[in-house]
């Protein structure tokens, strides 16, 4: 793949998609009435009740909402960048190396591609792509919080200045609801919470309104593609009209589990910062979204990847913890954590889903490697995608809060899956992992198809290393993370940035000429945090969205 990749799936797929279902269900009003056509004009949000004919409109005398940022910062239990107590020189030196890699990636993007979405490091130019509906600067937005956490102050100011002066939201194009949410909304929200700079909050809220038309479906479950252009406004609420439709490659006009299920964290924070409940309502409503998920029969307790936003029925029975399904499950446990462990509904959905996954999908190879298979209408496909390797970290995170009888079992499962994903790296010539690896025909934890041998700077394996390190402090996770750093330096670093490679099984790989924005948002951030103390972006204060943008746990209400 020489083009920018959707962070999480195939073909243009999302990486973690789940919360939106329960979001789409939890707080909103009755479903909007829309015809079940594949493309349709829809309104940005339900209209408010109209006054009786001839009556003057009611005046809104409420004081404008203001989020109390200083109170929020005081509520954090740890300094954002930690206290940096004494540490061993090797750990610090390794962290500084990762910081240098981030500076190198940013400096080359700034020099050759600033304002484009990604850097093409071999040809030293920029790439725009078609996932973001005309939005630009994906690498800027994805990099902001990483630059801040790494204390790359000058580079952070460069990125901030671009947002202030050049980040244009008045665009007209077809965007992935999922990708815009996790990269742009997530990155802007995180940077506001880290810095208190109003420009990031204002851009997030303005962009968030442009995504609302996607939810106007008979079920409240959003379609995957949204046109960000302004076709008109709703006079009552001044929200945008837009066009939304399903991906052409998605079966029968379906919505994708990992896409509609990966909106909840960000949309709750849009409501938190704006005082406008419409975002939380769209993403968390039990009428209709959650009801749809609770009502529809789940085969063996599993959630298939494709659901009709018109009928609320499954379109086909393909279940995956990797691309198309992954972040649905991630956002269940993280919704519960972000609610300060109050969202019991999300916790129960996570627990039930993991129980079904354990029962039907978790397998052990002849060589003793634990993996999570995919499920196609009752038939197992014995493969794992690189995207599925996030699950070790997710299960470890959930295990810390599991009942005693399951806690140790889930800790062991998380460690075993993470070890399997490590094996997919160590069994390649480059010590980087393939896009997918299989457990059949005598092969274990290796790609057996040419189309699955590439590595595009993905973060999921080091993401799990970071969580396992934080939760166990077993030094092997830092050792494994450093192996990845060395492999990236040897095989992916080129003269003007970092590039993915087309075949991890050759020591002279061909580069794909793409520095993905998620390399700066996720891969380098997780590696950096792996060599930080636990109080840097402490898990007591933050949850990471599926693009590794930190969003705060809701310890209290911060309305001023």
């Amino acid at each position: 793949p020489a083009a920018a990749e959707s962070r999480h799936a195939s073909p243009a797929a999302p990486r973690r998609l789940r919360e939106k279902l329960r979001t789409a269900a939890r707080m909103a009003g009755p479903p909007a009435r829309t015809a079940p056509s594949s493309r349709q004009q829809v309104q940005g949000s339900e209209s408010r009740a109209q006054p009786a004919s001839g009556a003057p409109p009611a005046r809104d005398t409420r004081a404008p909402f203001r989020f109390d940022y200083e109170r929020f910062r005081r509520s954090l239990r740890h300094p954002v960048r930690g206290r940096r107590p004494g540490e061993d020189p090797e750990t610090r030196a390794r962290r500084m190396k990762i910081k240098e890699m981030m500076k190198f990636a940013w400096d080359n993007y700034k020099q050759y591609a600033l304002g484009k979405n990604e850097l093409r490091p071999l040809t030293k130019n920029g790439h725009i792509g078609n996932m973001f509906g005309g939005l630009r600067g994906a690498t800027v937005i994805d990099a902001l919080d990483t630059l801040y956490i790494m204390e790359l102050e000058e580079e952070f100011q460069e990125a901030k200045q671009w947002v202030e002066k050049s980040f244009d939201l008045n665009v007209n194009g077809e965007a992935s609801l999922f990708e815009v949410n996790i990269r742009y909304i997530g990155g802007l929200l995180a940077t506001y919470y880290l810095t208190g700079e109003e420009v990031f909050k204002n851009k997030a809220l303005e962009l968030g309104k442009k995504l609302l038309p996607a939810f106007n479906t008979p079920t409240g479950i959003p379609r995957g593609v949204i046109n960000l252009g302004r076709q008109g406004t709703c006079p009552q609420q001044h929200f945008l009209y837009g066009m939304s439709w399903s991906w052409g490659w998605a079966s029968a006009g379906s919505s994708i589990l990992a896409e509609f299920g990966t909106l909840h964290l960000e949309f709750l924070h849009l409501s938190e910062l704006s005082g406008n409940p419409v975002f939380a309502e769209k993403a968390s409503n039990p009428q209709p979204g959650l009801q749809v998920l609770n009502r529809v029969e789940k085969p063996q307790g599993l959630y298939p990847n494709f659901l009709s936003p018109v009928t609320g029925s499954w379109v086909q029975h393909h279940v995956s913890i990797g691309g198309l399904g992954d972040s649905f499950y991630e956002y269940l446990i993280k919704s519960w954590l972000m609610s300060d462990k109050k969202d019991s509904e999300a916790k129960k959905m996570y627990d039930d889903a993991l129980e079904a996954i354990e029962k039907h999908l978790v397998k052990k190879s002849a060589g003793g490697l634990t993996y999570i298979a995919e499920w196609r209408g009752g038939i197992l496909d014995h493969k794992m995608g690189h995207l599925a390797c996030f699950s070790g970290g997710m299960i470890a995170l959930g295990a810390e809060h599991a009942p005693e009888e399951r806690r140790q079992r889930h800790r062991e499962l998380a460690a075993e899956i993470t070890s399997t994903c490590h094996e997919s790296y160590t069994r390649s010539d480059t010590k980087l992992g393939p896009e997918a690896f299989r457990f059949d025909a005598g092969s274990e934890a290796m790609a057996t198809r040419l189309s699955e041998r590439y590595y595009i700077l993905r973060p999921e394996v080091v993401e799990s290393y970071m969580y396992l390190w934080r939760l166990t402090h077993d030094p092997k996770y830092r050792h494994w993370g450093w192996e990845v750093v060395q492999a990236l330096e040897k095989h992916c670093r080129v003269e003007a940035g970092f590039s993915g490679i087309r075949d991890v099984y050759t020591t002279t790989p061909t580069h794909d000429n793409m520095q993905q924005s998620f390399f700066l948002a996720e891969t380098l951030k997780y590696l950096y945090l792996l060599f930080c103390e636990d109080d840097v972006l402490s898990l007591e204060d933050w949850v990471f969205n599926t693009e590794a943008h930190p969003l705060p746990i809701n310890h209290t209400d911060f309305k001023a």
Side-chain angles (χ1 to χ4, degrees):
E5 287 282 325
S6 172
R7 161 70 180 85
H8 316 280
S10 58
R15 172 189 180 220
R16 301 167 180 198
L17 302 155
R18 170 314 8 145
E19 241 329 46
K20 174 53 228 88
L21 268 176
R22 55 174 298 279
T23 353
R26 213 165 68 200
M27 297 167 65
R33 302 182 185 279
T34 50
S37 57
S38 61
R39 291 188 180 224
Q40 55 195 239
Q41 184 159 331
V42 294
Q43 184 174 313
S45 67
E46 279 71 39
S47 299
R48 292 174 182 157
Q50 297 300 300
S53 177
R59 292 178 61 189
D60 188 346
T61 59
R62 292 173 297 177
F65 177 88
R66 186 173 72 83
F67 179 81
D68 191 337
Y69 182 78
E70 293 305 319
R71 186 177 171 206
F72 154 69
R73 285 301 294 256
R74 291 194 299 271
S75 78
L76 296 177
R77 296 167 183 175
H78 303 274
V80 169
R81 292 163 166 166
R83 292 185 176 86
R84 297 282 164 81
E87 59 186 342
D88 69 278
E90 181 182 75
T91 299
R92 185 181 187 282
R94 292 181 171 186
R95 188 173 68 247
M96 290 302 101
K97 174 58 186 174
I98 297 160
K99 179 175 178 177
E100 182 277 329
M101 294 166 70
M102 178 67 183
K103 178 172 169 52
F104 181 73
W106 170 261
D107 285 348
N108 281 284
Y109 167 76
K110 181 189 71 172
Q111 181 173 353
Y112 298 112
L114 183 63
K116 301 295 195 297
N117 284 323
E118 296 92 9
L119 165 68
R120 289 191 179 276
L122 270 65
T123 49
K124 298 181 181 177
N125 61 349
H127 175 261
I128 294 175
N130 57 8
M131 284 192 300
F132 306 122
L135 294 173
R136 300 289 189 264
T139 292
V140 179
I141 308 301
D142 256 351
L144 277 162
D145 54 9
T146 309
L147 293 171
Y148 182 82
I149 290 301
M150 291 186 181
E151 301 182 51
L152 288 164
E153 306 292 357
E154 181 181 337
E155 292 77 9
F156 175 80
Q157 291 301 324
E158 293 165 352
K160 176 188 168 187
Q161 185 177 63
W162 184 87
V163 174
E164 290 174 328
K165 296 183 177 179
S166 304
F167 185 34
D168 184 9
L169 300 184
N170 293 315
V171 297
N172 185 15
E174 302 175 6
S176 162
L177 172 68
F178 167 81
E179 297 288 353
V180 170
N181 178 61
I182 65 170
R183 301 198 203 204
Y184 285 90
I185 301 289
L188 291 165
L189 288 172
T191 309
Y192 171 70
Y193 281 119
L194 292 172
T195 68
E197 298 277 3
E198 291 285 317
V199 62
F200 302 116
K201 178 182 75 174
N202 295 339
K203 292 286 188 181
L205 294 175
E206 184 181 349
L207 182 55
K209 289 179 183 179
K210 290 174 174 283
L211 303 182
L212 291 173
F215 294 86
N216 282 1
T217 66
T219 59
I221 292 167
R223 300 181 188 275
V225 184
I226 177 76
N227 189 301
L228 299 176
R230 183 187 183 106
Q231 281 100 28
T233 57
C234 170
Q236 286 75 37
Q237 292 187 313
H238 306 290
F239 284 162
L240 302 173
Y241 288 81
M243 299 286 292
S244 71
W245 54 93
S246 298
W247 291 108
W249 50 265
S251 300
S254 58
S255 294
I256 299 162
L257 184 68
E259 292 195 350
F260 65 73
T262 310
L263 301 165
H264 187 65
L265 302 185
E266 297 83 359
F267 272 55
L268 285 187
H269 278 289
L270 290 174
S271 282
E272 175 83 6
L273 292 180
S274 66
N276 188 337
V278 68
F279 301 105
E281 289 168 357
K282 294 296 183 185
S284 315
N285 210 355
Q287 347 268 323
L290 192 54
Q291 290 179 352
V292 170
L293 278 190
N294 287 335
R295 183 186 73 240
V296 65
E297 181 181 353
K298 290 171 277 295
Q300 312 293 336
L302 299 166
Y303 289 88
N305 291 337
F306 297 97
L307 186 81
S308 168
V310 175
T311 66
S313 301
W314 303 119
V315 174
Q316 59 175 238
H317 285 185
H318 172 217
V319 177
S320 169
I321 312 306
L324 305 177
D326 45 17
S327 46
F328 167 84
Y329 306 97
E330 174 192 7
Y331 271 38
L332 287 176
I333 188 63
K334 288 182 176 179
S335 292
W336 179 71
L337 291 170
M338 198 180 80
S339 73
D340 211 12
K341 304 175 187 175
K342 295 181 178 68
D343 189 348
S344 57
E345 194 167 41
K347 179 66 158 57
K348 184 179 189 309
M349 290 177 74
Y350 172 80
D351 288 341
D352 291 349
L354 185 56
E355 183 178 350
I357 289 165
E358 277 191 282
K359 183 175 181 180
H360 299 289
L361 303 183
V362 173
K363 300 296 174 184
K364 185 157 285 197
S365 71
L369 298 180
T370 300
Y371 62 98
I372 303 179
E374 297 190 4
W375 190 86
R376 299 177 187 274
I379 299 172
L380 288 182
D381 186 3
H382 295 273
K383 77 163 200 177
M384 273 187 80
H386 194 292
L387 291 165
C389 284
F390 88 96
S391 60
M394 177 189 74
I395 293 168
L397 194 60
E400 295 304 299
H401 312 282
E404 189 62 43
E405 68 273 12
R406 287 189 301 221
R407 187 175 306 151
Q408 189 56 34
R409 185 174 85 246
H410 287 177
R411 284 172 173 166
E412 291 171 359
L413 176 60
E416 289 170 7
I417 291 170
T418 302
S419 179
T420 297
C421 291
H422 174 249
E423 285 298 312
S424 77
Y425 276 52
T426 61
R427 297 183 186 197
S428 80
D429 296 71
T430 57
K431 306 306 176 191
L432 295 167
E435 180 69 3
F437 47 93
R438 296 179 179 268
F439 300 86
D440 51 27
S443 175
E444 294 195 358
M446 293 185 70
T448 59
R449 302 180 183 184
L450 287 174
S451 61
E452 297 172 341
R453 296 162 75 103
Y454 62 89
Y455 172 71
I456 57 170
L457 308 175
R458 287 205 188 272
E460 291 76 21
V461 172
V462 297
E463 174 182 350
S464 285
Y465 293 169
M466 190 280 290
Y467 280 111
L468 270 291
W469 163 256
R470 287 261 174 122
L471 298 170
T472 70
H473 289 142
D474 186 328
K476 73 182 179 185
Y477 296 112
R478 280 184 164 173
H479 176 70
W480 292 354
W482 188 244
E483 291 176 346
V484 176
V485 170
Q486 292 175 306
L488 288 168
E489 284 285 288
K490 183 174 182 180
H491 299 293
C492 298
R493 186 166 180 150
V494 294
E495 180 186 350
F498 288 88
S499 170
I501 57 177
R502 298 187 185 278
D503 187 351
V504 298
Y505 299 107
T506 173
T507 53
T508 55
T510 303
H511 293 98
D512 68 9
N513 194 27
M514 184 62 63
Q515 181 176 279
Q516 304 284 348
S517 79
F518 55 70
F519 180 66
L520 291 81
E522 301 183 76
T523 311
L524 292 176
K525 183 186 286 119
Y526 284 133
L527 284 168
Y528 183 81
L529 293 174
L530 178 60
F531 292 96
C532 285
E533 296 300 314
D534 292 356
D535 61 353
V536 180
L537 291 179
S538 168
L539 297 180
E540 292 184 353
D541 286 325
W542 305 90
V543 295
F544 293 94
N545 88 337
T546 200
E547 190 81 2
H549 296 306
L551 299 174
I553 292 170
N554 186 15
H555 293 310
T556 185
D557 179 13
F558 301 108
K559 180 178 180 180

